[in-house]
Amino acid sequence: MQLRDSLRNLVESETLKPGTRIPSTRQLAVDIGVSRSVVVEAYDQLTAEGYLTSRRGSGTSVAEHTGAKTAASALAPLAEEPAPDARWDLRTGTSNTIDFPRAEWLRCMTAVINEAGHQELGYAPLAGVPHARHVLTGYLGRVRGVRNRPEDLMITSGFAQGLALVCRVLLDRGHTALAVEDPGHPGEREFIATSGLRPIGIPVDQDGLDVERLEASAARAVLVTPANQFPTGVRLSRERRARLVAWARKVGGYILEDDFDSGLLDTADRPPALQSLAPDRVVYAGSASKTLAPALRLGWLAGPSDFMASVEHIRAGWDIGCSGLEQLAFARFIDTGAFDRHQRRLRTEFRRRRRTVRAHLDTQLPGAWLPSRAGGLQAYIRLPPHIDEQSLVRAARHRSVLLRGGRHYSASPAARPPALVISYATANCTALSRSLAEVGVAYREQSERREQRDAGASL
C-alpha cells in the first residue's frame, strides 16, 4: 500500500510524466529492499487504476492519460481557439527546419569532435570560443558591414538571451523604458516588460520607425528591425537611419538592432547593418534560428566595448556560456562556405514562395496588396477597408488555415487598417496555393455578405 500510494502521488503530481519508463519490478524490489511480489502487486493495482501501462518487451511506463491536470507553461504562447485538425499553419514564429543541412552540419561537427583537444572539450570562455568569435566577426563584416572586434562580440543562447542581457544592462544604467516598433513582436513587448523596462510603442509607416515620435518619447533606447521590419517588411529609409543615429547620440542612448532574417533577403536589395553607421551607439544582434534551426540556440551580440563589458559582467552571474563544440561547428560551417550556400538555397526557395503569394492575391483576395517588396519569412498583406480582419482569421481557421491578423502585432489600442500576416517559413508553394485558395473562399464570402448588406441598406 505504501509503494502503491507513493507511486500514485508521483504520477498525480506529475513528478512522473506520462510516458516515463519506470524500473522493472525486479530492479525496484532490489533498490528499495522489498520482496519482488510487493512491487508486482503495486504495479498491478496501478495498472488496473489506469496510472501505469505495461507491454511485453517494453517494460512499464506511466500511462499517457492519467486524469492528472496539466499546467500550462508560463512561456507558452497566448491561448488560441483550438484547431487540432488544421492542415496549414501560416502563423509567424516558425523556421524552415525541413531544409536544415543535416549532412553538412554533421560533417562540420564530426570534424570538430575529431580535432578537439583538452581545451576544446573544456568549458568555453563566457563570451564564446575565441576562434568562433573571430570567424563570426569576419563573416558579419563581410556580409552585413558590421564594424566590430572579436573582443566585443558575445555568442549567446539565441536572441532571447541577448535581449535579456541588454535589458539588464539598460536597467543598471538608469533606463526605465525601451522603445519598440508598433506593430512589432508581441512576445518581445511582454519579455521587455517582465525584465523591468517599460515598452513604448513607436509607430511604423512606409519608411520604417517614426523617429520624430521616438524623439518625443521618454525612451533613451530602442529596439528596431531596420533591414526588414517585423511584421510589415518595410525598410528603414536612409533619412530615418541617419536621424535615428543622431537621436541616439543626442540622448546618449542605444539602438538594439535585431537583424533576425537578413540572410534571407536578396543580397542585391539588402541594406548594410545599421550598426555600420554608429558602432558606438548600436548593439547588433543576430541568431541562427531563422537561417538554420532554433534548436541550436546560437545567437550573438556585437556592441561598444564598454557596453559589452557590462553585458559580460551581467552574464557571469547567469550561466557559464554556450556549447563550445557547437560554436566551433558553426565557425567551420561558415569557413567552408556551407552557410553561404545554405542561405542561397533558402533565398531561392523563399523567393518562389513569395511570388506564389503575390500571384494569388489578385485571384483569391482581390483588392488586397503587399505594401512592401522585402523578402524574409512572411508577407504583410493589406486588406480593403470593408474586410473585417478578425472575422476573416476565424473563417480561415474554420477552413483549416491558421494565420494571424495585423492587429495581433499592434501595441496600441488604436484601430489599424485590416491586414493579414502570412508566414511561408514552413509552407511550400503547393501548400501556399491550397491554403490561400481556402482563405480566398472565406474572403469572397465576407465580401459578398458586405455587398448584400449594402444593397439592403440602399433599398
Side-chain angles (χ1 to χ4, degrees), residues 91-135:
R91 295 174 296 183
T92 57
T94 54
S95 300
N96 180 17
T97 56
I98 294 177
D99 293 322
F100 180 76
R102 300 171 190 269
E104 290 177 297
W105 183 263
L106 183 59
R107 280 195 292 271
C108 292
M109 181 61 81
T110 301
V112 165
I113 293 174
N114 287 339
E115 297 170 5
H118 176 74
Q119 183 175 357
E120 288 77 16
L121 293 173
Y123 290 107
L126 188 63
V129 177
H131 176 66
R133 294 161 71 189
H134 175 79
V135 170

mmCIF file of all heavy atoms in Angstrom, residues 91-135:
data_model
loop_
_atom_site.group_PDB
_atom_site.id
_atom_site.type_symbol
_atom_site.label_atom_id
_atom_site.label_comp_id
_atom_site.label_asym_id
_atom_site.label_seq_id
_atom_site.Cartn_x
_atom_site.Cartn_y
_atom_site.Cartn_z
ATOM 1 N N ARG A 91 1.124 30.892 -39.482
ATOM 2 C CA ARG A 91 1.430 31.864 -38.436
ATOM 3 C C ARG A 91 2.934 32.098 -38.333
ATOM 4 O O ARG A 91 3.726 31.195 -38.597
ATOM 5 C CB ARG A 91 0.885 31.379 -37.088
ATOM 6 C CG ARG A 91 -0.637 31.297 -37.052
ATOM 7 C CD ARG A 91 -1.140 30.690 -35.770
ATOM 8 N NE ARG A 91 -0.713 29.301 -35.615
ATOM 9 C CZ ARG A 91 -1.068 28.521 -34.611
ATOM 10 N NH1 ARG A 91 -1.860 28.997 -33.664
ATOM 11 N NH2 ARG A 91 -0.644 27.268 -34.544
ATOM 12 N N THR A 92 3.309 33.302 -37.934
ATOM 13 C CA THR A 92 4.729 33.626 -37.775
ATOM 14 C C THR A 92 5.280 32.949 -36.523
ATOM 15 O O THR A 92 4.539 32.447 -35.685
ATOM 16 C CB THR A 92 4.929 35.141 -37.659
ATOM 17 O OG1 THR A 92 4.145 35.631 -36.554
ATOM 18 C CG2 THR A 92 4.493 35.849 -38.926
ATOM 19 N N GLY A 93 6.600 32.969 -36.419
ATOM 20 C CA GLY A 93 7.255 32.371 -35.257
ATOM 21 C C GLY A 93 7.880 31.026 -35.550
ATOM 22 O O GLY A 93 8.471 30.404 -34.669
ATOM 23 N N THR A 94 7.765 30.564 -36.802
ATOM 24 C CA THR A 94 8.329 29.276 -37.174
ATOM 25 C C THR A 94 9.570 29.470 -38.053
ATOM 26 O O THR A 94 9.826 30.560 -38.554
ATOM 27 C CB THR A 94 7.297 28.440 -37.942
ATOM 28 O OG1 THR A 94 6.813 29.207 -39.064
ATOM 29 C CG2 THR A 94 6.112 28.090 -37.063
ATOM 30 N N SER A 95 10.321 28.399 -38.221
ATOM 31 C CA SER A 95 11.514 28.411 -39.066
ATOM 32 C C SER A 95 11.466 27.228 -40.016
ATOM 33 O O SER A 95 10.809 26.222 -39.742
ATOM 34 C CB SER A 95 12.783 28.333 -38.211
ATOM 35 O OG SER A 95 12.877 29.428 -37.328
ATOM 36 N N ASN A 96 12.187 27.350 -41.110
ATOM 37 C CA ASN A 96 12.225 26.283 -42.107
ATOM 38 C C ASN A 96 13.254 25.223 -41.692
ATOM 39 O O ASN A 96 14.383 25.213 -42.165
ATOM 40 C CB ASN A 96 12.568 26.851 -43.488
ATOM 41 C CG ASN A 96 12.624 25.756 -44.541
ATOM 42 O OD1 ASN A 96 12.128 24.656 -44.336
ATOM 43 N ND2 ASN A 96 13.231 26.045 -45.669
ATOM 44 N N THR A 97 12.852 24.344 -40.771
ATOM 45 C CA THR A 97 13.769 23.306 -40.305
ATOM 46 C C THR A 97 13.809 22.102 -41.236
ATOM 47 O O THR A 97 14.712 21.274 -41.128
ATOM 48 C CB THR A 97 13.363 22.837 -38.899
ATOM 49 O OG1 THR A 97 11.991 22.386 -38.922
ATOM 50 C CG2 THR A 97 13.489 23.967 -37.888
ATOM 51 N N ILE A 98 12.848 22.013 -42.160
ATOM 52 C CA ILE A 98 12.830 20.880 -43.097
ATOM 53 C C ILE A 98 14.097 20.867 -43.942
ATOM 54 O O ILE A 98 14.646 19.808 -44.250
ATOM 55 C CB ILE A 98 11.573 20.951 -43.990
ATOM 56 C CG1 ILE A 98 10.314 20.747 -43.141
ATOM 57 C CG2 ILE A 98 11.639 19.911 -45.108
ATOM 58 C CD1 ILE A 98 9.025 20.878 -43.910
ATOM 59 N N ASP A 99 14.563 22.042 -44.331
ATOM 60 C CA ASP A 99 15.739 22.132 -45.195
ATOM 61 C C ASP A 99 17.038 22.302 -44.406
ATOM 62 O O ASP A 99 18.045 22.753 -44.960
ATOM 63 C CB ASP A 99 15.570 23.302 -46.171
ATOM 64 C CG ASP A 99 14.443 23.055 -47.171
ATOM 65 O OD1 ASP A 99 14.310 21.910 -47.605
ATOM 66 O OD2 ASP A 99 13.711 24.004 -47.487
ATOM 67 N N PHE A 100 17.013 21.964 -43.119
ATOM 68 C CA PHE A 100 18.241 22.040 -42.329
ATOM 69 C C PHE A 100 19.317 21.172 -42.987
ATOM 70 O O PHE A 100 19.073 20.007 -43.315
ATOM 71 C CB PHE A 100 17.990 21.550 -40.907
ATOM 72 C CG PHE A 100 19.212 21.589 -40.027
ATOM 73 C CD1 PHE A 100 19.679 22.786 -39.519
ATOM 74 C CD2 PHE A 100 19.902 20.422 -39.725
ATOM 75 C CE1 PHE A 100 20.809 22.827 -38.714
ATOM 76 C CE2 PHE A 100 21.034 20.450 -38.922
ATOM 77 C CZ PHE A 100 21.489 21.662 -38.410
ATOM 78 N N PRO A 101 20.520 21.713 -43.215
ATOM 79 C CA PRO A 101 21.572 20.984 -43.941
ATOM 80 C C PRO A 101 22.236 19.927 -43.052
ATOM 81 O O PRO A 101 23.371 20.077 -42.595
ATOM 82 C CB PRO A 101 22.553 22.101 -44.319
ATOM 83 C CG PRO A 101 22.395 23.115 -43.243
ATOM 84 C CD PRO A 101 20.940 23.088 -42.856
ATOM 85 N N ARG A 102 21.535 18.836 -42.846
ATOM 86 C CA ARG A 102 21.981 17.821 -41.887
ATOM 87 C C ARG A 102 23.361 17.272 -42.222
ATOM 88 O O ARG A 102 24.228 17.146 -41.351
ATOM 89 C CB ARG A 102 20.962 16.685 -41.833
ATOM 90 C CG ARG A 102 19.574 17.134 -41.408
ATOM 91 C CD ARG A 102 18.543 16.017 -41.592
ATOM 92 N NE ARG A 102 17.186 16.518 -41.406
ATOM 93 C CZ ARG A 102 16.547 16.526 -40.242
ATOM 94 N NH1 ARG A 102 17.151 16.048 -39.167
ATOM 95 N NH2 ARG A 102 15.317 16.999 -40.138
ATOM 96 N N ALA A 103 23.560 16.894 -43.485
ATOM 97 C CA ALA A 103 24.816 16.249 -43.861
ATOM 98 C C ALA A 103 25.998 17.198 -43.669
ATOM 99 O O ALA A 103 27.041 16.816 -43.121
ATOM 100 C CB ALA A 103 24.746 15.764 -45.305
ATOM 101 N N GLU A 104 25.841 18.463 -44.102
ATOM 102 C CA GLU A 104 26.949 19.412 -43.983
ATOM 103 C C GLU A 104 27.226 19.770 -42.530
ATOM 104 O O GLU A 104 28.375 19.903 -42.113
ATOM 105 C CB GLU A 104 26.641 20.673 -44.803
ATOM 106 C CG GLU A 104 26.675 20.434 -46.309
ATOM 107 C CD GLU A 104 26.288 21.675 -47.084
ATOM 108 O OE1 GLU A 104 25.135 22.119 -46.924
ATOM 109 O OE2 GLU A 104 27.111 22.188 -47.839
ATOM 110 N N TRP A 105 26.165 19.925 -41.750
ATOM 111 C CA TRP A 105 26.355 20.225 -40.330
ATOM 112 C C TRP A 105 27.034 19.044 -39.621
ATOM 113 O O TRP A 105 27.917 19.242 -38.782
ATOM 114 C CB TRP A 105 25.024 20.553 -39.665
ATOM 115 C CG TRP A 105 25.188 20.940 -38.221
ATOM 116 C CD1 TRP A 105 25.038 20.149 -37.130
ATOM 117 C CD2 TRP A 105 25.582 22.228 -37.725
ATOM 118 N NE1 TRP A 105 25.301 20.859 -35.985
ATOM 119 C CE2 TRP A 105 25.632 22.129 -36.320
ATOM 120 C CE3 TRP A 105 25.883 23.449 -38.341
ATOM 121 C CZ2 TRP A 105 25.977 23.214 -35.510
ATOM 122 C CZ3 TRP A 105 26.227 24.523 -37.537
ATOM 123 C CH2 TRP A 105 26.282 24.401 -36.136
ATOM 124 N N LEU A 106 26.620 17.828 -39.963
ATOM 125 C CA LEU A 106 27.216 16.648 -39.349
ATOM 126 C C LEU A 106 28.701 16.549 -39.689
ATOM 127 O O LEU A 106 29.521 16.193 -38.830
ATOM 128 C CB LEU A 106 26.478 15.388 -39.818
ATOM 129 C CG LEU A 106 26.947 14.061 -39.209
ATOM 130 C CD1 LEU A 106 26.801 14.088 -37.693
ATOM 131 C CD2 LEU A 106 26.144 12.902 -39.806
ATOM 132 N N ARG A 107 29.056 16.877 -40.936
ATOM 133 C CA ARG A 107 30.472 16.849 -41.312
ATOM 134 C C ARG A 107 31.270 17.851 -40.482
ATOM 135 O O ARG A 107 32.383 17.549 -40.025
ATOM 136 C CB ARG A 107 30.632 17.145 -42.809
ATOM 137 C CG ARG A 107 30.348 15.954 -43.711
ATOM 138 C CD ARG A 107 30.860 16.199 -45.120
ATOM 139 N NE ARG A 107 30.113 17.246 -45.809
ATOM 140 C CZ ARG A 107 29.011 17.021 -46.530
ATOM 141 N NH1 ARG A 107 28.541 15.787 -46.645
ATOM 142 N NH2 ARG A 107 28.382 18.016 -47.126
ATOM 143 N N CYS A 108 30.715 19.036 -40.296
ATOM 144 C CA CYS A 108 31.417 20.053 -39.505
ATOM 145 C C CYS A 108 31.540 19.630 -38.045
ATOM 146 O O CYS A 108 32.607 19.767 -37.434
ATOM 147 C CB CYS A 108 30.686 21.393 -39.605
ATOM 148 S SG CYS A 108 30.756 22.159 -41.244
ATOM 149 N N MET A 109 30.476 19.106 -37.484
ATOM 150 C CA MET A 109 30.508 18.681 -36.089
ATOM 151 C C MET A 109 31.462 17.502 -35.902
ATOM 152 O O MET A 109 32.224 17.445 -34.921
ATOM 153 C CB MET A 109 29.096 18.307 -35.627
ATOM 154 C CG MET A 109 29.014 17.867 -34.167
ATOM 155 S SD MET A 109 29.537 19.153 -32.995
ATOM 156 C CE MET A 109 28.036 20.146 -32.911
ATOM 157 N N THR A 110 31.452 16.563 -36.848
ATOM 158 C CA THR A 110 32.356 15.408 -36.753
ATOM 159 C C THR A 110 33.811 15.848 -36.803
ATOM 160 O O THR A 110 34.653 15.374 -36.033
ATOM 161 C CB THR A 110 32.065 14.417 -37.894
ATOM 162 O OG1 THR A 110 30.703 13.979 -37.806
ATOM 163 C CG2 THR A 110 32.985 13.210 -37.807
ATOM 164 N N ALA A 111 34.117 16.765 -37.710
ATOM 165 C CA ALA A 111 35.489 17.263 -37.832
ATOM 166 C C ALA A 111 35.928 17.966 -36.550
ATOM 167 O O ALA A 111 37.064 17.783 -36.080
ATOM 168 C CB ALA A 111 35.602 18.207 -39.020
ATOM 169 N N VAL A 112 35.043 18.753 -35.969
ATOM 170 C CA VAL A 112 35.366 19.475 -34.739
ATOM 171 C C VAL A 112 35.638 18.492 -33.597
ATOM 172 O O VAL A 112 36.606 18.643 -32.833
ATOM 173 C CB VAL A 112 34.223 20.444 -34.372
ATOM 174 C CG1 VAL A 112 34.350 20.916 -32.930
ATOM 175 C CG2 VAL A 112 34.219 21.641 -35.315
ATOM 176 N N ILE A 113 34.781 17.479 -33.462
ATOM 177 C CA ILE A 113 34.964 16.496 -32.384
ATOM 178 C C ILE A 113 36.253 15.703 -32.588
ATOM 179 O O ILE A 113 37.001 15.445 -31.636
ATOM 180 C CB ILE A 113 33.746 15.559 -32.313
ATOM 181 C CG1 ILE A 113 32.509 16.356 -31.861
ATOM 182 C CG2 ILE A 113 34.002 14.388 -31.368
ATOM 183 C CD1 ILE A 113 31.221 15.579 -31.893
ATOM 184 N N ASN A 114 36.536 15.325 -33.837
ATOM 185 C CA ASN A 114 37.755 14.556 -34.106
ATOM 186 C C ASN A 114 39.022 15.355 -33.794
ATOM 187 O O ASN A 114 40.044 14.786 -33.396
ATOM 188 C CB ASN A 114 37.782 14.102 -35.564
ATOM 189 C CG ASN A 114 36.795 12.981 -35.839
ATOM 190 O OD1 ASN A 114 36.377 12.272 -34.917
ATOM 191 N ND2 ASN A 114 36.408 12.819 -37.091
ATOM 192 N N GLU A 115 38.939 16.679 -33.985
ATOM 193 C CA GLU A 115 40.113 17.522 -33.772
ATOM 194 C C GLU A 115 40.173 18.108 -32.364
ATOM 195 O O GLU A 115 41.180 18.738 -32.001
ATOM 196 C CB GLU A 115 40.112 18.664 -34.793
ATOM 197 C CG GLU A 115 40.214 18.204 -36.243
ATOM 198 C CD GLU A 115 39.968 19.321 -37.229
ATOM 199 O OE1 GLU A 115 39.802 20.484 -36.768
ATOM 200 O OE2 GLU A 115 39.907 19.055 -38.446
ATOM 201 N N ALA A 116 39.111 17.924 -31.579
ATOM 202 C CA ALA A 116 39.030 18.567 -30.267
ATOM 203 C C ALA A 116 40.077 18.011 -29.307
ATOM 204 O O ALA A 116 40.249 16.796 -29.176
ATOM 205 C CB ALA A 116 37.632 18.393 -29.681
ATOM 206 N N GLY A 117 40.756 18.917 -28.639
ATOM 207 C CA GLY A 117 41.703 18.539 -27.608
ATOM 208 C C GLY A 117 41.167 18.878 -26.235
ATOM 209 O O GLY A 117 39.970 19.138 -26.057
ATOM 210 N N HIS A 118 42.066 18.905 -25.251
ATOM 211 C CA HIS A 118 41.654 19.178 -23.881
ATOM 212 C C HIS A 118 40.957 20.528 -23.765
ATOM 213 O O HIS A 118 39.932 20.665 -23.095
ATOM 214 C CB HIS A 118 42.885 19.124 -22.961
ATOM 215 C CG HIS A 118 42.577 19.478 -21.542
ATOM 216 N ND1 HIS A 118 41.911 18.624 -20.691
ATOM 217 C CD2 HIS A 118 42.832 20.620 -20.830
ATOM 218 C CE1 HIS A 118 41.766 19.212 -19.511
ATOM 219 N NE2 HIS A 118 42.322 20.411 -19.566
ATOM 220 N N GLN A 119 41.498 21.540 -24.423
ATOM 221 C CA GLN A 119 40.932 22.885 -24.312
ATOM 222 C C GLN A 119 39.543 22.955 -24.937
ATOM 223 O O GLN A 119 38.619 23.546 -24.366
ATOM 224 C CB GLN A 119 41.858 23.892 -24.982
ATOM 225 C CG GLN A 119 41.383 25.336 -24.856
ATOM 226 C CD GLN A 119 42.387 26.316 -25.439
ATOM 227 O OE1 GLN A 119 43.465 25.934 -25.884
ATOM 228 N NE2 GLN A 119 42.034 27.586 -25.451
ATOM 229 N N GLU A 120 39.365 22.365 -26.116
ATOM 230 C CA GLU A 120 38.065 22.426 -26.814
ATOM 231 C C GLU A 120 36.983 21.650 -26.062
ATOM 232 O O GLU A 120 35.799 21.984 -26.151
ATOM 233 C CB GLU A 120 38.205 21.865 -28.226
ATOM 234 C CG GLU A 120 38.961 22.752 -29.197
ATOM 235 C CD GLU A 120 40.463 22.695 -28.988
ATOM 236 O OE1 GLU A 120 40.922 21.749 -28.301
ATOM 237 O OE2 GLU A 120 41.174 23.569 -29.513
ATOM 238 N N LEU A 121 37.381 20.608 -25.317
ATOM 239 C CA LEU A 121 36.408 19.810 -24.582
ATOM 240 C C LEU A 121 36.144 20.353 -23.176
ATOM 241 O O LEU A 121 35.300 19.819 -22.452
ATOM 242 C CB LEU A 121 36.889 18.352 -24.489
ATOM 243 C CG LEU A 121 36.929 17.597 -25.822
ATOM 244 C CD1 LEU A 121 37.573 16.233 -25.638
ATOM 245 C CD2 LEU A 121 35.527 17.445 -26.408
ATOM 246 N N GLY A 122 36.841 21.409 -22.819
ATOM 247 C CA GLY A 122 36.611 22.026 -21.521
ATOM 248 C C GLY A 122 35.564 23.115 -21.603
ATOM 249 O O GLY A 122 34.861 23.267 -22.605
ATOM 250 N N TYR A 123 35.450 23.899 -20.537
ATOM 251 C CA TYR A 123 34.487 24.997 -20.522
ATOM 252 C C TYR A 123 34.925 26.080 -21.509
ATOM 253 O O TYR A 123 36.088 26.479 -21.528
ATOM 254 C CB TYR A 123 34.379 25.610 -19.126
ATOM 255 C CG TYR A 123 33.718 24.705 -18.115
ATOM 256 C CD1 TYR A 123 34.451 24.085 -17.109
ATOM 257 C CD2 TYR A 123 32.346 24.466 -18.169
ATOM 258 C CE1 TYR A 123 33.842 23.261 -16.176
ATOM 259 C CE2 TYR A 123 31.726 23.642 -17.244
ATOM 260 C CZ TYR A 123 32.477 23.045 -16.249
ATOM 261 O OH TYR A 123 31.875 22.226 -15.348
ATOM 262 N N ALA A 124 33.969 26.553 -22.310
ATOM 263 C CA ALA A 124 34.270 27.642 -23.245
ATOM 264 C C ALA A 124 34.281 28.968 -22.492
ATOM 265 O O ALA A 124 33.606 29.125 -21.480
ATOM 266 C CB ALA A 124 33.217 27.682 -24.350
ATOM 267 N N PRO A 125 35.063 29.946 -22.964
ATOM 268 C CA PRO A 125 35.018 31.280 -22.347
ATOM 269 C C PRO A 125 33.594 31.818 -22.348
ATOM 270 O O PRO A 125 32.783 31.502 -23.227
ATOM 271 C CB PRO A 125 35.936 32.116 -23.245
ATOM 272 C CG PRO A 125 36.869 31.120 -23.854
ATOM 273 C CD PRO A 125 36.046 29.874 -24.050
ATOM 274 N N LEU A 126 33.296 32.642 -21.357
ATOM 275 C CA LEU A 126 31.926 33.130 -21.169
ATOM 276 C C LEU A 126 31.376 33.829 -22.408
ATOM 277 O O LEU A 126 30.212 33.634 -22.788
ATOM 278 C CB LEU A 126 31.896 34.093 -19.981
ATOM 279 C CG LEU A 126 30.518 34.563 -19.518
ATOM 280 C CD1 LEU A 126 29.691 33.391 -19.030
ATOM 281 C CD2 LEU A 126 30.663 35.603 -18.410
ATOM 282 N N ALA A 127 32.191 34.620 -23.084
ATOM 283 C CA ALA A 127 31.724 35.361 -24.254
ATOM 284 C C ALA A 127 31.750 34.527 -25.520
ATOM 285 O O ALA A 127 31.235 34.964 -26.554
ATOM 286 C CB ALA A 127 32.562 36.623 -24.452
ATOM 287 N N GLY A 128 32.341 33.339 -25.463
ATOM 288 C CA GLY A 128 32.388 32.489 -26.645
ATOM 289 C C GLY A 128 33.801 32.035 -26.948
ATOM 290 O O GLY A 128 34.782 32.655 -26.504
ATOM 291 N N VAL A 129 33.913 30.967 -27.718
ATOM 292 C CA VAL A 129 35.223 30.453 -28.125
ATOM 293 C C VAL A 129 35.906 31.503 -28.999
ATOM 294 O O VAL A 129 35.293 31.998 -29.966
ATOM 295 C CB VAL A 129 35.055 29.129 -28.900
ATOM 296 C CG1 VAL A 129 36.408 28.624 -29.403
ATOM 297 C CG2 VAL A 129 34.379 28.080 -28.027
ATOM 298 N N PRO A 130 37.153 31.870 -28.694
ATOM 299 C CA PRO A 130 37.824 32.928 -29.464
ATOM 300 C C PRO A 130 37.818 32.688 -30.971
ATOM 301 O O PRO A 130 37.579 33.635 -31.745
ATOM 302 C CB PRO A 130 39.251 32.916 -28.898
ATOM 303 C CG PRO A 130 39.081 32.439 -27.497
ATOM 304 C CD PRO A 130 37.968 31.425 -27.551
ATOM 305 N N HIS A 131 38.078 31.461 -31.408
ATOM 306 C CA HIS A 131 38.097 31.203 -32.851
ATOM 307 C C HIS A 131 36.717 31.440 -33.464
ATOM 308 O O HIS A 131 36.607 32.033 -34.550
ATOM 309 C CB HIS A 131 38.545 29.767 -33.129
ATOM 310 C CG HIS A 131 38.491 29.396 -34.580
ATOM 311 N ND1 HIS A 131 39.308 29.975 -35.531
ATOM 312 C CD2 HIS A 131 37.674 28.519 -35.266
ATOM 313 C CE1 HIS A 131 39.023 29.474 -36.719
ATOM 314 N NE2 HIS A 131 38.036 28.593 -36.595
ATOM 315 N N ALA A 132 35.670 30.998 -32.787
ATOM 316 C CA ALA A 132 34.309 31.194 -33.299
ATOM 317 C C ALA A 132 33.964 32.676 -33.359
ATOM 318 O O ALA A 132 33.343 33.152 -34.318
ATOM 319 C CB ALA A 132 33.309 30.444 -32.430
ATOM 320 N N ARG A 133 34.372 33.438 -32.358
ATOM 321 C CA ARG A 133 34.100 34.876 -32.359
ATOM 322 C C ARG A 133 34.867 35.563 -33.483
ATOM 323 O O ARG A 133 34.347 36.493 -34.127
ATOM 324 C CB ARG A 133 34.478 35.474 -31.007
ATOM 325 C CG ARG A 133 33.601 34.967 -29.867
ATOM 326 C CD ARG A 133 34.243 35.195 -28.518
ATOM 327 N NE ARG A 133 34.259 36.592 -28.146
ATOM 328 C CZ ARG A 133 34.928 37.049 -27.074
ATOM 329 N NH1 ARG A 133 35.639 36.224 -26.331
ATOM 330 N NH2 ARG A 133 34.878 38.326 -26.777
ATOM 331 N N HIS A 134 36.087 35.126 -33.730
ATOM 332 C CA HIS A 134 36.888 35.701 -34.816
ATOM 333 C C HIS A 134 36.236 35.428 -36.174
ATOM 334 O O HIS A 134 36.099 36.341 -37.004
ATOM 335 C CB HIS A 134 38.303 35.107 -34.775
ATOM 336 C CG HIS A 134 39.171 35.546 -35.906
ATOM 337 N ND1 HIS A 134 39.800 36.781 -35.945
ATOM 338 C CD2 HIS A 134 39.504 34.921 -37.078
ATOM 339 C CE1 HIS A 134 40.484 36.891 -37.058
ATOM 340 N NE2 HIS A 134 40.322 35.792 -37.774
ATOM 341 N N VAL A 135 35.809 34.187 -36.391
ATOM 342 C CA VAL A 135 35.185 33.828 -37.670
ATOM 343 C C VAL A 135 33.873 34.578 -37.852
ATOM 344 O O VAL A 135 33.578 35.111 -38.929
ATOM 345 C CB VAL A 135 34.963 32.308 -37.753
ATOM 346 C CG1 VAL A 135 34.104 31.946 -38.964
ATOM 347 C CG2 VAL A 135 36.300 31.572 -37.813
#
